Amino acid sequence: MPTRPLTIAAIALLCSAAAAGAETATVIRARHLFDATSGRLVEPGLVVVSGTTIAAVGASAALPAGARVIDVGDATLLPGFIDAHVHITDEFSGDHYRDFYHSMLRFPVEQSFYAERYAHATLAAGFTTVRVLGSADWVDVALRNAIEAGLVQGPRMIVAAHAVGSPGGHCDQGAFPPEKVAPLDPIHGICSGPESCREAVRDQMKWGASVIKICASGGVLSEADPLKVPQLTVAELEAIIGEAHRWGRKVAAHAHAHGDEAARLAIDAGVDSIEHGSFLSVETLKLMKQKGVYLVPTRLAAWFVNSHADGYPPPIAAKARMIADSHAEMMRNAMRIGVPIAFGTDSGVSPHGMNAKEFSLLVELGMTPTAALLAATRDAARLLGVDAVTGTLEPGKSADIVAVPGNVLDNIAATEHPLLVVARGVIVARPQ
Ligand SMILES: [Zn+2]
């Protein structure tokens, strides 16, 4: 769903909010508020914002004198949404080969202009925090730094830099003749053997990665590698995960893996989340629950690739069809077993700004609207390690707030049409 650009009025509000600093309080009112600490809807909704943080929440909150009041009426206030799996620096154009060509030809600086646009679309859709799981040329690190410096607007970003995987695997760039395109090396995340993979992880962290992404199994959007085959050995997984954990970084494992061998190896080696998880068995899901390993289902990617199969080469379209049904069955098992689930979309595969479509897709699979909203707020914040800062509307946390029309528990698709987005106390989108 493309989001509308900022209106002049919204930009003016934004500028005045930024200029006013911490002294000017803003009161945001709505009929409902989704309390992500309890999972309940409370009425009326009221949040007092002071500077970049939440000063008070709830109907009994004291209203500061002279506070600016924004009343969004029959709407629900929620914590800013969190997407635990995006590729903020790229976007599918409808033509897989054209995208591949562009990704090889564009200068990193040129790509960063696209990335800034995608980051803004994501923010305007209500996603105030994202985890970026793999991008080329350090563009995600650079964009994260520019956002933190206040140069450009975008979500709070936890970034992986280059995804770490084996030569010829899902994280590699393709089998170009080495005389034409230099093969990737550990600096670019491609490694063989535990020492080489340890180096790859250290390189990503050296240049700014705050999370590590690995390709534990084959993938859908790479032509040559079979989904079934684990792409990292036990020794490589232990080197990668051990090194990341020593630095206090979490590890997210891309894993489809028929028979779920790759996911199992990654879980045994201590991985923190399994991404996609299309073929996870009941036994592995139970193990994930027991160990507290999150599932990030990225249902939107499975849905989008299937419904736009014409834009992909036949081997990729075939893989997408292969995972669709098993992914739905795996999700139903995961919900029944009670595996911790964090909301993630794989956006970039689908257009940035369409992230909230994932809510409806999760609910279609049988997830309650409350559980879907918690997955994108409190629970994703825990997985990303930002739960002290965001994920719930509580005093002292970052003023990351979304308002959507009506009662969100009655209509989960309302999340696709935010009325107001506030990120770190600044109004970043207020479609008229
Ligand atoms: Zn991905």
Side-chain angles (χ1 to χ4, degrees):
M1 181 64 54
T3 41
R4 280 167 281 186
L6 280 183
T7 62
I8 298 296
I11 291 166
L13 274 169
L14 180 161
C15 295
S16 65
E23 287 81 35
T24 307
T26 301
V27 176
I28 303 173
R29 269 201 205 122
R31 186 153 164 209
H32 317 276
L33 180 146
F34 180 74
D35 177 5
T37 61
S38 68
R40 292 213 186 88
L41 211 61
V42 297
E43 297 183 358
L46 193 147
V47 181
V48 180
V49 175
S50 179
T52 60
T53 57
I54 296 172
V57 180
S60 58
L63 303 190
R68 178 169 58 131
V69 177
I70 299 174
D71 194 330
V72 285
D74 184 13
T76 307
L77 304 180
L78 304 108
F81 300 137
I82 300 170
D83 192 327
H85 191 137
V86 301
H87 298 278
I88 205 79
T89 61
D90 293 292
E91 186 174 273
F92 178 63
S93 71
D95 182 334
H96 179 82
Y97 284 131
R98 186 172 60 194
D99 294 349
F100 201 71
Y101 185 67
H102 281 160
S103 76
M104 300 304 290
L105 281 189
R106 283 188 191 141
F107 297 101
V109 170
E110 185 182 357
Q111 194 63 39
S112 70
F113 286 101
Y114 289 87
E116 189 272 339
R117 177 173 286 206
Y118 304 146
H120 193 267
T122 304
L123 188 62
F127 288 78
T128 53
T129 303
V130 297
R131 190 172 65 156
V132 184
L133 289 185
S135 52
D137 304 321
W138 316 101
V139 172
D140 59 344
V141 175
L143 178 61
R144 187 266 318 268
N145 294 350
I147 291 169
E148 293 298 323
L151 295 177
V152 295
Q153 269 191 353
R156 176 183 296 103
M157 290 185 7
I158 287 87
V159 301
H162 302 90
V164 175
S166 56
H170 181 59
C171 290
D172 202 355
Q173 65 189 349
F176 294 103
E179 292 76 14
K180 302 229 167 138
V181 175
L184 297 179
D185 54 14
I187 285 186
H188 304 104
I190 301 306
C191 57
S192 272
E195 285 317 308
S196 169
C197 289
R198 194 187 310 278
E199 183 184 350
V201 173
R202 286 174 170 161
D203 285 339
Q204 304 320 305
M205 296 189 295
K206 170 180 177 177
W207 280 292
S210 42
V211 63
I212 295 297
K213 156 81 174 287
I214 59 175
C215 290
S217 84
V220 173
L221 293 185
S222 42
E223 269 188 87
D225 56 326
L227 282 169
K228 291 183 179 190
V229 177
Q231 295 187 345
L232 291 165
T233 65
V234 170
E236 288 167 341
L237 287 164
E238 287 175 349
I240 291 167
I241 296 168
E243 195 64 18
H245 284 176
R246 271 190 283 280
W247 280 57
R249 308 287 204 273
K250 293 191 180 182
V251 180
H254 163 106
H256 292 288
H258 189 62
D260 83 351
E261 187 187 351
R264 192 61 181 259
L265 293 175
I267 292 163
D268 286 344
V271 80
D272 300 285
S273 67
I274 296 290
E275 313 295 310
H276 321 302
S278 312
F279 300 102
L280 294 173
S281 66
V282 166
E283 294 71 47
T284 301
L285 289 165
K286 284 183 178 163
L287 187 65
M288 288 171 69
K289 185 188 178 183
Q290 187 197 326
K291 290 188 140 197
V293 176
Y294 277 77
L295 171 66
V296 181
T298 68
R299 185 71 187 162
L300 181 59
W303 173 82
F304 187 88
V305 175
N306 253 317
S307 49
H308 296 76
D310 289 350
Y312 297 97
I316 289 178
K319 286 201 222 181
R321 280 192 292 278
M322 195 167 122
I323 63 161
D325 290 344
S326 61
H327 187 269
E329 189 193 335
M330 178 282 296
M331 276 298 291
R332 288 189 198 101
N333 288 336
M335 289 185 279
R336 183 171 46 76
I337 290 164
V339 176
I341 293 175
F343 181 107
T345 61
D346 220 352
S347 285
V349 173
S350 52
H352 295 285
M354 195 189 203
N355 314 53
K357 171 82 179 162
E358 177 87 7
F359 285 113
S360 295
L361 295 173
L362 293 174
V363 170
E364 277 171 26
L365 286 174
M367 191 179 277
T368 64
T370 300
L373 293 169
L374 289 175
T377 54
R378 182 192 69 188
D379 298 346
R382 286 178 183 161
L383 170 61
L384 271 56
V386 294
D387 49 319
V389 178
T390 191
T392 57
L393 297 175
E394 291 181 273
K397 288 200 178 177
S398 178
D400 301 337
I401 305 159
V402 188
V404 306
N407 177 335
V408 72
L409 297 185
D410 289 345
N411 176 24
I412 194 70
T415 52
E416 294 168 47
H417 308 285
L419 301 168
L420 175 73
V421 182
V422 177
R424 303 190 233 204
V426 176
I427 295 172
V428 291
R430 196 179 187 189
Q432 299 298 302

